[in-house]
Amino acid sequence: MVMDHKVRVFVFRFEGDHWDYLLLRRKPLREHGFGPVRGVVGLSEHLQDAVLREVREETGLARPAHLIDLEHVSRFCFGDEGLIEWDFAFQAPRGEHQIQHGPCIAESFWASFDQAFETMELPEDRESLVRLRIHLEAG
């Protein structure tokens, strides 16, 4: 079985007295709903390096205030091919709210937890968002 590895990265910020989450929509629009940053882990690339590269390429954000390993892995099988997604969270530095869309991103917006949870279509994205919220509230 061939296994591809990807990262799923939830970009967030502390705004006022609450957390906001960045939702992205990839091109083409009719095939993609809103969700986190996603990207492939290159051969011999460390997971954290893939996270930083994908966030930079899709949002323009270069350095996180905090990078969190959400310690959650999703596994999917499609016949003789498989996909493993590693979940991370990337806190945008204070004052860096301007998002520069990469070539694959059609649109983005910052959302409250409730709005983000309702907007995301994939159950595994919602599950990871809840995991991040629990982590942030415990910290």
Side-chain angles (χ1 to χ4, degrees):
M1 176 178 279
V2 176
M3 298 298 283
D4 289 326
H5 292 262
K6 292 189 175 187
V7 290
R8 177 176 29 213
V9 188
F10 292 82
V11 177
F12 67 99
R13 69 181 183 188
F14 191 73
E15 187 67 25
D17 62 349
H18 64 279
W19 298 102
D20 282 339
Y21 306 88
L22 182 65
L23 297 181
L24 304 173
R25 189 166 184 183
R26 301 179 74 78
K27 298 175 185 175
L29 293 177
R30 20 174 223 281
E31 294 180 18
H32 300 284
F34 282 98
V37 170
R38 279 193 162 79
V40 176
V41 178
L43 290 175
S44 73
E45 185 176 33
H46 293 284
L47 289 173
Q48 290 185 353
D49 293 336
V51 167
L52 297 174
R53 177 182 48 75
E54 287 296 336
V55 170
R56 185 180 60 253
E57 288 174 0
E58 294 189 4
T59 70
L61 297 172
R63 293 191 187 110
H66 297 286
L67 185 62
I68 304 165
D69 182 345
L70 292 174
E71 299 178 5
H72 183 258
V73 178
S74 300
R75 292 175 177 83
F76 307 94
C77 291
F78 314 98
D80 62 347
E81 293 187 19
L83 171 63
I84 298 176
E85 283 190 321
W86 304 84
D87 292 352
F88 284 83
F90 178 110
Q91 184 177 357
R94 286 200 182 270
E96 286 194 39
H97 303 295
Q98 189 71 357
I99 302 301
Q100 299 169 359
H101 295 165
C104 297
I105 304 301
E107 55 187 316
S108 67
F109 69 98
W110 291 99
S112 67
F113 174 83
D114 291 339
Q115 186 180 18
F117 188 85
E118 291 174 15
T119 302
M120 287 190 285
E121 297 174 4
L122 298 176
E124 57 270 15
D125 288 348
R126 287 192 200 112
E127 179 183 327
S128 294
L129 181 67
V130 168
R131 182 180 301 278
L132 172 57
R133 182 176 184 184
I134 290 168
H135 178 89
L136 293 174
E137 288 178 355

